[in-house]
Amino acid sequence: MISVAIVGGTGYTGVELIRLLASHPQVSVDLLTSRGQAGVRVDEVFPSLRGVSELVYQDMDEATFAALESSDVVFFATPHGVAMQHAKRLTDAGVKIVDLAADFRLQSLSAFESWYKHSHVCPELLKQAVYGLPEITRDQLKSASIVGNPGCYPTTAILGLKPVIECQNAQSKRLIEPKIIVDAKSGVSGAGRKAELGLNFAESADNFKAYGVTGHRHLPEIEQGVEQLLGSQFPHRIRFIPHLVPMIRGMFSTIHLSLTDAGTEINWQQQFEDCYASERFVDVLPAGQYPDTRSVRASNRLRIAVYQDSAHHELTVLVVQDNLVKGAAGQAVQSMNVMFGLDESLGLSHVPLVP
Amino acid sequence: MISVAIVGGTGYTGVELIRLLASHPQVSVDLLTSRGQAGVRVDEVFPSLRGVSELVYQDMDEATFAALESSDVVFFATPHGVAMQHAKRLTDAGVKIVDLAADFRLQSLSAFESWYKHSHVCPELLKQAVYGLPEITRDQLKSASIVGNPGCYPTTAILGLKPVIECQNAQSKRLIEPKIIVDAKSGVSGAGRKAELGLNFAESADNFKAYGVTGHRHLPEIEQGVEQLLGSQFPHRIRFIPHLVPMIRGMFSTIHLSLTDAGTEINWQQQFEDCYASERFVDVLPAGQYPDTRSVRASNRLRIAVYQDSAHHELTVLVVQDNLVKGAAGQAVQSMNVMFGLDESLGLSHVPLVP
Amino acid sequence: MISVAIVGGTGYTGVELIRLLASHPQVSVDLLTSRGQAGVRVDEVFPSLRGVSELVYQDMDEATFAALESSDVVFFATPHGVAMQHAKRLTDAGVKIVDLAADFRLQSLSAFESWYKHSHVCPELLKQAVYGLPEITRDQLKSASIVGNPGCYPTTAILGLKPVIECQNAQSKRLIEPKIIVDAKSGVSGAGRKAELGLNFAESADNFKAYGVTGHRHLPEIEQGVEQLLGSQFPHRIRFIPHLVPMIRGMFSTIHLSLTDAGTEINWQQQFEDCYASERFVDVLPAGQYPDTRSVRASNRLRIAVYQDSAHHELTVLVVQDNLVKGAAGQAVQSMNVMFGLDESLGLSHVPLVP
Amino acid sequence: MISVAIVGGTGYTGVELIRLLASHPQVSVDLLTSRGQAGVRVDEVFPSLRGVSELVYQDMDEATFAALESSDVVFFATPHGVAMQHAKRLTDAGVKIVDLAADFRLQSLSAFESWYKHSHVCPELLKQAVYGLPEITRDQLKSASIVGNPGCYPTTAILGLKPVIECQNAQSKRLIEPKIIVDAKSGVSGAGRKAELGLNFAESADNFKAYGVTGHRHLPEIEQGVEQLLGSQFPHRIRFIPHLVPMIRGMFSTIHLSLTDAGTEINWQQQFEDCYASERFVDVLPAGQYPDTRSVRASNRLRIAVYQDSAHHELTVLVVQDNLVKGAAGQAVQSMNVMFGLDESLGLSHVPLVP
């Protein structure tokens, strides 16, 4: 059994990791830490876990640290800035790390520091870190010791753009115009488990709004995805606007692309289907079928629909995922499976919850 | 024009007072106070009020206090314990007070102090205070200088029980058994405008729960209503259990009563209709029709349905209201109208919002 | 008093007209018709209207028709294709008509017939009809006898684009690129009051989806708005994608525009503020403030925010409205006020409902 | 592998059976039938099942019937009245039946026929049928060939009352008064997957109401549960009032009991804990902890809290479950496991979904 520890297990990604890993046949979750809830049983904080786990949250003291060092893998389900504090010591001890926050997502130090207002304490480890998007970085993940788990929005944007950028690269000519618009919508759980007036039910229910219009931390991550992960041969400008939807889980990205003349010649439905033919967590819907977020609720599936209007030089890509699964904890487990050479779907076979 | 001030105008009852009073032809809202938002325009905090009010929240300094003293009426839309601090000075200045918190609800000092964990600073004013439930205390309200605006749950319970207790008193014999069960359900706005984890959308949406099972502050208020306001000749025990419903506004109370043999002889539908025949804000539904909360949303209406099953000695009373209107701000305006000798429906003619 | 009749008063726009007109001091709603509910009181179908209206739905027989002919204005809150059946007879009788469906929206017969699959029975009346968007067609509305009330999405798109197209026209040069993307989101009430599986709460709550991706009837209406109403000197392509949000009321349109070099020179915030300075129902938010749909809930306000990123040649316009008010019934009342020479805000002074 | 067929697989209980059985290691779902969707793939109707099942709905023709006869077990996820049409032929062929509708719930023919307005076509099979509530009827289920799967409300009521009635029986004296009040609340999915105006999101969201006040089909089932399943030595009257909560899944029953003097002597917390100590799907919460529906969402758990107020002779039992799992499909799978001698938790190990 792989011994797993979760640092910061009181947030939504933490409890989701526990939910998913409970069905993983080769993993044992042995340690949970929390500053705020140290000494409290996890099933007191989350009565949903009664009968599932009897662990007690540990404070981050030396004994806990020693226990972390004897884990096989540590998931950081913490705010930004925590994982990097502990990464060196843990990797030195041979422990693998998956950070669900942003410490190891952006390869560019300056991008990290300007968007997150943190200086990075281990830039040398950042260089080794692998971006945990198995559909793109599977090979690197196999030998990774530190994984930066992608942000939720970037997962939808990068996977939604992958067939397009790859096709464009393959043809070495622009198939889409430089401007890429990602009009994205997220459920409220994406904001985390916290007391915040704007997240109060009476504030956010029966309501819809945009946020982060002037700049959102996931923008540089999407840019990195297009430029470095997908290695676009052509420069692109990403216009990213996130919105808040009165639903608990779910993320929907509407990607508006403009086709060049050459781009109108492509059968994009076919491109997308081919691109993801062997991926079990990415589902390209048949032509004419459009996704809704509940079709992936509580599962690690991400579904994509493509709508091509060559007459108007338009290509619209619709992407849905559960922001807490493929957009966070599920993807982290998927990366872990790759890191340990396991079947990628272990712990991730949940059928979406409908209704 | 009646000059109105609202102390603590950043909560839900505060903004609801502003909404209702904006349509009141004889009132001018001239002053808003807030500690946390002093100096900020009300329409920055509530963009819904852009074009409605340009007031700036005032801190509670001496200048503000002087302005309060020259108001005709001050609404306290504050937490418990604030209104009583200022009541003496304001009433001495001839200003009328409507407290939407609990400072002037409970006539019993000991009940107040044990349930609210405050000692009361002006017990002599408490004696003068009138409970602001016009359907019961209209006459006293006409000359009241301090009004304790009822709690939301007690409004439904007391008005739902009024025809029963009055009929029982009139007959001087028990028509219902001593035990009264009030199984009540409230929308989330009832908890106030605040950052609290349990109120987070992701915690409270798609969820239902009971709370306050071991005791809720509205219990002694319901008891007082039955015993003193309605003057029950017979003792009753109230069993009150509130629940939280994933909706913004709305309150639904299911009152379970057991009829005595004598009680089964009464035509309760008729009793309820007669009792409220001349009340414009209390609507007794025709026999066989059952209420939903949206039928009163955003309005000062309270609707009641009665279901009598004499064969089983059962009487069920269903009561709905908008917790922020008839359950709070609307009722406060209604009482104010009575206090100033105005038509009771001024500022309260909003048609319920459906859908 | 202006005598009003509402044909098809059992849908959401019908009941919303009743709600709004109940507060209109110069109007009396005297007649409601419904085929399905003929003979039934309106307050049985909508208990929210108990105490507001005692009207009984009339079938569309000859007596009803005679009564319609003696009305001053008839609102058609019916499906497409109904108003045009009756328009000739009513206008011959001197009755004004406001159609909330699409019969008199599109001036192009061929557009109407291809999008709505109806042949138009009174194309000569269509030519006289005025598109009921007072912020643009106020002058024509003053003498209109038939008004085509705009669709909900087109209202947000056309008013959101008005300052841009007008400025571009004024300068006689392209300020924005031809492609206009309207990524729009609507609450569920926009689909109407009907039994439909996809609208079932268990299907649409906690869910988000796009629809009409391959073409939506509001597209030709937005195009007509840009080309004819706003008289754009330059051709534009509208890419319109609507989405369904799990909320009852509210509409949010995110309009993505690309600025030309000349366009980056404009201070768009100023343009928008100037454009709507004298409009009481269109509110341009201060720079840096972004709207949410609840800030207009239950009111006739439409709010707009503009975000300009000249470095990237981007202009983003965010528009919110209540789809049933400014997007339907409220706008119809506003047009009626213009038609009858009344103050435009009569019956429309409702403060938005927050929370 | 046990070969499973699901008749009527297009409703919520049908799709939930598929979701649960997909994780059952000893079961293969081989056949789905549907009249309305015959010939359509299940994953077209439910895109959530893409990658999970490629079955095509079969019409109920002779070939299908032959296939049903070669199944090991047939689940009827149909409306009332269907299972009994086919029960004889299938049981004659040695096929086990689990009916998720009401055909085999009520042992009393007259109760069935008066509440369901059907005459029963196989009363002789009804006598053999076992009520599928394993916590009570486990022994009978082991050899059952026809199982009537309990209604959702009765599951909460009967399991919530089991420790009380059993204790009362054990002591052979009344511990609670005859009147039992079940004030129950259900999510909207309980009404089924159907197009119905009252279930429209715009009708049921942000709303709360009672229904079935004058009588609900689950009442005789609860009565049967108390009298026959639990074998109460004392007569009881059940007062059952269901309410509709604006949430997708979840059921909450508040059971109000009055204790006799003898009843106040009992430590009910202990009684409940002892009663369910060995049940893995029934969780008695520690004293002072109260349940919410999301703590069981998407899982087969049912949680119970007990609140005892001996001073007032009151006992309150709070029960939560997911109405589609323990209240329907999960319970059906649990019974199937018992019928086939399998570990009762196979296919039912889903951790509740929070948030």
Side-chain angles (χ1 to χ4, degrees), chain A residues 236-277:
Chain A
H236 285 284
R237 155 68 185 167
I238 312 285
R239 177 78 184 114
F240 169 57
I241 302 198
H243 303 76
L244 190 67
V245 182
M247 61 184 177
I248 298 175
R249 289 167 177 248
M251 177 161 285
F252 192 109
S253 287
T254 309
I255 305 179
H256 302 275
L257 303 171
S258 293
L259 296 171
T260 62
D261 286 342
T264 64
E265 312 271 303
I266 307 290
N267 177 337
W268 288 107
Q269 176 72 30
Q270 196 59 51
Q271 283 295 323
F272 273 73
E273 289 183 12
D274 292 351
C275 177
Y276 289 119

Side-chain angles (χ1 to χ4, degrees), chain C residues 35-71:
Chain C
R35 254 181 249 169
Q37 300 287 349
V40 180
R41 278 174 61 132
V42 63
D43 61 1
E44 274 186 61
V45 176
F46 297 107
S48 59
L49 297 179
R50 286 175 59 82
V52 175
S53 173
E54 305 194 340
L55 288 175
V56 172
Y57 288 112
Q58 303 300 314
D59 206 351
M60 261 302 219
D61 56 19
E62 193 49 37
T64 301
F65 218 92
L68 286 176
E69 287 178 311
S70 61
S71 300

Side-chain angles (χ1 to χ4, degrees), chain D residues 17-318:
Chain D
L17 280 169
I18 299 170
R19 180 179 78 90
L20 297 172
L21 292 173
S23 73
H24 195 300
Q26 303 194 28
V27 152
S28 164
V29 178
D30 296 324
L31 180 60
L32 300 176
T33 82
S34 161
R35 255 182 247 168
Q37 301 286 350
V40 180
R41 279 174 60 129
V42 63
D43 62 1
E44 274 186 63
V45 176
F46 297 106
S48 58
L49 297 179
R50 286 175 59 83
V52 176
S53 173
E54 305 194 339
L55 288 175
V56 173
Y57 288 113
Q58 302 301 313
D59 205 352
M60 261 303 219
D61 56 19
E62 193 49 38
T64 301
F65 218 93
L68 287 177
E69 287 177 312
S70 61
S71 301
D72 294 307
V73 56
V74 175
F75 290 93
F76 282 89
T78 45
H80 311 306
V82 176
M84 62 175 152
Q85 306 290 342
H86 306 300
K88 177 100 179 55
R89 182 166 164 186
L90 290 175
T91 53
D92 283 352
V95 181
K96 293 180 191 296
I97 290 176
V98 180
D99 179 28
L100 283 83
D103 296 7
F104 297 101
R105 288 177 188 163
L106 294 179
Q107 283 295 315
S108 157
L109 259 186
S110 63
F112 176 80
E113 296 183 359
S114 88
W115 283 94
Y116 288 89
K117 317 293 179 201
H118 265 280
S119 45
H120 206 291
V121 303
C122 52
E124 72 294 352
L125 287 181
L126 180 56
K127 282 184 214 139
Q128 304 170 23
V130 176
Y131 192 73
L133 196 50
E135 289 79 6
I136 296 180
T137 60
R138 185 171 286 122
D139 284 346
Q140 299 98 294
L141 283 170
K142 287 174 183 161
S143 56
S145 57
I146 303 183
V147 168
N149 198 55
C152 48
Y153 287 119
T155 299
T156 61
I158 298 168
L159 292 181
L161 289 168
K162 178 174 188 280
V164 178
I165 302 297
E166 287 183 352
C167 183
Q168 184 171 257
N169 282 345
Q171 302 217 358
S172 291
K173 62 181 167 192
R174 274 206 178 277
L175 302 176
I176 56 167
E177 301 289 349
K179 177 72 61 73
I180 292 172
I181 294 176
V182 181
D183 191 295
K185 299 89 177 173
S186 173
V188 178
S189 66
R193 182 170 174 266
K194 57 189 170 195
E196 195 175 294
L197 179 57
L199 303 178
N200 185 306
F201 183 94
E203 300 284 312
S204 53
D206 216 53
N207 193 22
F208 188 89
K209 66 175 176 184
Y211 66 102
V213 178
T214 58
H216 186 285
R217 289 164 168 182
H218 285 179
L219 173 59
E221 195 179 333
I222 300 172
E223 290 172 337
Q224 168 182 285
V226 171
E227 289 161 23
Q228 294 172 38
L229 292 178
L230 300 175
S232 177
Q233 295 170 13
F234 302 92
H236 285 284
R237 155 67 185 168
I238 313 285
R239 175 78 184 117
F240 170 58
I241 301 198
H243 303 76
L244 190 66
V245 182
M247 62 183 178
I248 297 175
R249 288 168 177 248
M251 177 161 285
F252 191 109
S253 288
T254 308
I255 306 178
H256 302 274
L257 303 172
S258 293
L259 296 171
T260 62
D261 286 343
T264 64
E265 313 272 302
I266 308 291
N267 178 339
W268 288 106
Q269 176 71 32
Q270 197 59 50
Q271 283 295 324
F272 273 73
E273 290 183 11
D274 292 351
C275 177
Y276 289 119
S278 62
E279 290 295 341
R280 67 186 101 182
F281 292 119
V282 180
D283 175 32
V284 177
L285 293 171
Q289 201 172 320
Y290 300 106
D292 55 4
T293 59
R294 68 184 193 135
S295 74
V296 294
R297 184 163 43 206
S299 91
N300 199 49
R301 293 286 168 120
L302 175 148
R303 300 194 204 275
I304 304 180
V306 195
Y307 174 69
Q308 178 171 1
D309 180 350
S310 290
H312 293 103
H313 286 71
E314 290 167 352
L315 185 68
T316 309
V317 182
L318 308 175

Side-chain angles (χ1 to χ4, degrees), chain B residues 78 98 195 215 241 318:
Chain B
T78 45
V98 180
I241 301 198
L318 307 175

